[in-house]
Amino acid sequence: QVHLVESGGASVQAGGSLRLSCAASGYTFRGNSMAWFRQAPGKEREGVAVLPRSTSGKIYYADSVEGRFTVSRDNAENTVYLQMNRLEPEDTAIYYCAAGFIGGLIFSPETYKHWGQGTNVTVSS
């Protein structure tokens, strides 16, 4: 059984930084793509970043976070990270990691089989 567990969410002031983690059991991130999504109150879940299967592949970021967020993978720890810098109040959301890409649009939630429970990020102005 696949379990994804996010951690690292917190309340921070605008301009601050956070690093989110997603640890997996029953699933290996190495050689598999994964994604970070977020869902703000009253809004649909949106893709934030997609890490490709290959370490040499292109990493995709949503326009709203490009240049501020960085996704990375630690194969030894079977953990992926989302480094978030220069946080803005608009980044306030529950952040989810997703894995088990089944094909389709990489930023579409429907294309991932496995989800974590989410971690809460609040950015105050």
Side-chain angles (χ1 to χ4, degrees), residues 91-123:
D91 296 317
T92 294
I94 300 174
Y95 283 72
Y96 300 89
C97 66
F101 180 66
I102 61 175
L105 298 176
I106 60 173
F107 277 146
S108 175
E110 290 75 23
T111 58
Y112 296 88
K113 290 193 301 184
H114 309 299
W115 290 85
Q117 83 291 345
T119 186
N120 211 330
V121 172
T122 302
V123 184

Side-chain angles (χ1 to χ4, degrees), residues 9-124:
S11 295
V12 297
Q13 289 193 327
S17 297
L18 283 174
R19 188 177 80 157
L20 307 183
S21 301
C22 174
S25 60
Y27 186 87
T28 301
F29 284 129
R30 184 187 188 114
N32 288 294
S33 62
M34 66 79 56
W36 284 96
F37 284 78
R38 67 185 181 185
Q39 188 164 16
K43 295 189 177 181
E44 293 186 352
R45 193 168 298 190
E46 64 172 357
V48 174
V50 174
L51 193 62
R53 297 171 57 186
S54 169
T55 55
S56 61
K58 177 180 172 60
I59 299 173
Y60 292 90
Y61 295 96
D63 290 344
S64 58
V65 307
E66 180 83 52
R68 300 188 297 122
F69 290 11
T70 303
V71 62
S72 61
R73 169 171 38 208
D74 184 330
N75 289 329
E77 296 294 326
N78 203 29
T79 299
V80 293
Y81 301 97
L82 183 67
Q83 177 67 42
M84 307 187 296
N85 298 328
R86 304 198 311 275
L87 282 160
E88 303 169 353
E90 292 74 23
D91 296 317
T92 294
I94 300 174
Y95 283 72
Y96 300 89
C97 66
F101 180 66
I102 61 175
L105 298 176
I106 60 173
F107 277 146
S108 175
E110 290 75 23
T111 58
Y112 296 88
K113 290 193 301 184
H114 309 299
W115 290 85
Q117 83 291 345
T119 186
N120 211 330
V121 172
T122 302
V123 184
S124 58

